[in-house]
Amino acid sequence: MPPTDDTIRDLREALEATPENVKLRRHIARLLVEADRIAEAEKELRDALARAPDDEAVKLELAEVFSRRDKHSEALVLVESLINAPETSARARLAHARLLLAAGEVERAVGAYRTAIDEDPDLEDPALALRLGVYSDDDDEAATAEVVDGKVRGATCAPTGGDDAIPVERPEVTFDDVGGMDALKEEIGLKIIAPLNHPELYEAYGKKTGGGILLFGPPGCGKTHLARATAGEVKAGFMSVGIHEVLDMWIGESERKLHELFAQARANRPCVLFFDEVDALGASRSDMRGSAGRQLINQFLAELDGIDSSNDGLLILGATNAPWHLDAAFRRPGRFDRVIFVPPPDEPARAGILEILLKGKPQEKVDVKTVARKTPEFSGADLEAVVDAAVEDKLRRAIRERKASPLKTADLLAAAKKQKPTTKEWFATARNYALYSNQGGIYDDILEYLKLK
């Protein structure tokens, strides 16, 4: 039976008296997960981690919540920080195995699972072992392929889904629905929209329309929304592809599904084919030991090159929070050769986002500019959390007082004080790559944003 709102509210009131009580925060987060309030659970665990940055239990629970919210890159970074520590627990290794499997790195996942079980046999997970192809009566065999019904089973990911076609949207959102980010929208207009709106000019110069664009930046800053609005601007079809729609447990099936997705997009030209968390499909081959992941990357590169079919009129957008994990071959000319940094929204953009988020909600002279000024480094997702928290507070008051009241500037400012910008964690990692692994200048925009250049 899921916990009641009253239970969670009472525990939160107890937490207000002892805000440094990390165990209580973890308990509240677990109750929130049971109540399917995952975003709130993430916030509680982030607050716990800020108070206890070395607490392994907090990191593992936050990584699990990240995975539930499809933030696989952040989950992997968090768990790898535990794996790289001088002392690593078996539970951390087991979590690492699950995340590696989700990313398609089967052999590494097998190794992590075996090590975890060797250290603590009580952690044995039969379901995970089955997906990895690890069996208790065959300790020397790692992820052995198995022939079933004429197909070769590798331990890659989720079961085959059946019909591989995904819906082709016709987005009605445009850049008018994207708050702020004027410079970014102008850049996309020049690099993406103009070629698709004026194909005759490009044809006259013998230049094809379409191509590949890589959007990267902190999570929650609107990369997916921006991709959908781009399709809306050119009145093109839009196909949003998640890793679960490509990765398959049968060897060769992932490559086939990827090819069919490209074929579907080509049949609906002009079309925007959007890959979210593209680094999970195109991880660096130098980090791989198995051949299955390499074959998928080779297939992806062949589709980008349009070896068997023309990609004219097809725009391929990839979004990633971790561009440093993407194989370098993806950034060669003709592939994801145009790389665009999507930073946290600036002050005017935050004001624009707040206006959009507040549409349709009862409000009284909300000064979005003041709220925007008080929320530096907040992502669009952070601002949404601020608005949600303010609304929830109003609902609690309305239920208690039996009278509804509109949102005010003070309500949003009070909610903003309780919310920390989630972009700081990302920039802490990105800064190191920008400073020490930036030979091609791909991360120059990060340095400029951080005023390090």
Side-chain angles (χ1 to χ4, degrees):
M1 181 177 177
T4 64
D5 291 344
D6 289 341
T7 300
I8 295 173
R9 184 173 62 250
D10 291 344
L11 289 172
R12 279 180 161 165
E13 287 177 359
L15 186 62
E16 288 180 6
T18 57
E20 301 301 321
N21 190 334
V22 172
K23 288 186 178 180
L24 181 55
R25 284 189 187 276
R26 285 175 51 207
H27 181 59
I28 293 172
R30 285 194 292 271
L31 293 179
L32 289 168
V33 169
E34 290 178 28
D36 201 28
R37 293 159 63 176
I38 310 300
E40 293 178 62
E42 179 183 331
K43 182 181 181 304
E44 290 295 346
L45 289 169
R46 284 183 181 277
D47 288 344
L49 188 61
R51 289 169 167 80
D54 298 322
D55 191 312
E56 180 183 277
V58 173
K59 287 186 177 181
L60 289 176
E61 289 179 21
L62 181 55
E64 183 180 347
V65 167
F66 278 154
S67 295
R68 284 172 175 264
R69 301 197 72 192
D70 293 329
K71 297 181 177 181
H72 303 294
S73 298
E74 292 95 319
L76 196 57
V77 168
L78 203 56
V79 171
E80 284 181 345
S81 71
L82 295 172
I83 296 298
N84 296 328
E87 295 183 5
T88 303
S89 73
R91 288 189 178 278
R93 294 190 189 280
L94 183 64
H96 196 216
R98 290 193 178 101
L99 291 169
L100 289 171
L101 177 60
E105 299 186 43
V106 184
E107 290 192 17
R108 289 181 65 198
V110 169
Y113 178 76
R114 287 185 180 278
T115 304
I117 301 309
D118 287 343
E119 292 179 2
D120 186 352
D122 292 338
L123 293 178
E124 188 172 353
D125 184 338
L128 178 60
L130 183 63
R131 293 176 67 198
L132 289 170
V134 177
Y135 305 98
S136 57
D137 59 348
D138 189 11
D139 292 335
D140 296 326
E141 186 174 16
T144 304
E146 175 187 6
V147 178
V148 180
D149 295 335
K151 289 183 178 181
V152 181
R153 197 196 85 158
T156 322
C157 201
T160 307
D163 188 3
D164 296 333
I166 63 175
V168 179
E169 301 177 39
R170 295 288 170 181
E172 296 181 1
V173 296
T174 65
F175 281 171
D176 291 337
D177 301 298
V178 178
M181 296 195 282
D182 293 332
L184 190 60
K185 288 188 281 192
E186 183 179 354
E187 187 174 3
I188 290 176
L190 289 172
K191 291 181 177 179
I192 302 175
I193 296 173
L196 291 176
N197 280 342
H198 305 285
E200 68 285 350
L201 293 177
Y202 284 75
E203 186 179 348
Y205 285 94
K207 187 171 177 59
K208 295 180 180 180
T209 59
I213 307 291
L214 180 66
L215 304 173
F216 79 96
C221 288
K223 294 184 286 294
T224 304
H225 187 49
L226 194 60
R228 186 172 275 105
T230 299
E233 283 287 320
V234 294
K235 295 179 173 56
F238 182 78
M239 293 172 58
S240 181
V241 181
I243 59 173
H244 62 283
E245 285 156 325
V246 177
L247 294 182
D248 197 283
M249 68 187 292
W250 304 101
I251 291 176
E253 282 297 290
S254 296
E255 292 87 343
R256 181 191 65 80
K257 291 169 76 172
L258 183 64
H259 173 72
E260 292 189 358
L261 287 169
F262 269 87
Q264 184 186 355
R266 291 179 186 119
N268 287 277
R269 286 182 279 199
C271 186
V272 174
L273 184 58
F274 176 67
F275 290 91
D276 198 7
E277 295 196 73
V278 70
D279 53 292
L281 298 176
S284 176
R285 285 171 291 184
S286 63
D287 296 333
M288 292 184 179
R289 294 169 57 196
S291 61
R294 289 173 176 266
Q295 286 296 105
L296 179 59
I297 291 173
N298 291 338
Q299 179 69 37
F300 203 162
L301 294 173
E303 297 294 345
L304 289 171
D305 291 337
I307 291 176
D308 297 323
S309 304
S310 170
N311 286 338
D312 194 24
L314 178 62
L315 176 64
I316 302 124
L317 289 178
T320 176
N321 302 328
W324 36 85
H325 291 324
L326 194 67
D327 194 285
F330 280 91
R331 296 197 297 272
R332 289 178 189 166
R335 296 168 181 171
F336 289 119
D337 51 356
R338 286 167 286 181
V339 181
I340 297 178
F341 174 52
V342 183
D346 56 17
E347 190 174 315
R350 293 196 297 274
I353 291 170
L354 287 166
E355 285 183 350
I356 292 171
L357 292 173
L358 290 169
K359 276 184 181 177
K361 294 180 174 62
Q363 53 184 291
E364 183 180 300
K365 297 179 181 178
V366 173
D367 187 350
V368 293
K369 291 183 179 178
T370 297
V371 180
R373 190 165 58 250
K374 296 289 186 179
T375 50
E377 301 180 275
F378 276 50
S379 67
D382 293 334
L383 293 172
E384 185 175 6
V386 168
V387 173
D388 286 345
V391 169
E392 287 176 6
D393 186 58
K394 282 292 184 183
L395 287 172
R396 279 193 291 269
R397 290 185 192 176
I399 293 170
R400 187 169 59 248
E401 299 172 1
R402 297 184 180 181
K403 179 183 178 182
S405 59
L407 285 168
K408 298 180 181 178
T409 305
D411 299 319
L412 293 171
L413 291 175
K417 284 184 179 179
K418 300 175 184 177
Q419 175 79 22
K420 292 184 174 67
T422 58
T423 60
K424 287 186 176 181
E425 290 181 29
W426 186 87
F427 276 110
T429 301
R431 181 181 183 276
N432 291 330
Y433 283 97
L435 286 173
Y436 307 116
S437 184
N438 191 30
Q439 291 83 355
I442 185 175
Y443 306 130
D444 285 352
D445 287 340
I446 294 176
L447 295 175
E448 289 179 11
Y449 181 85
L450 294 174
K451 296 182 172 61
L452 296 174
K453 184 178 179 180

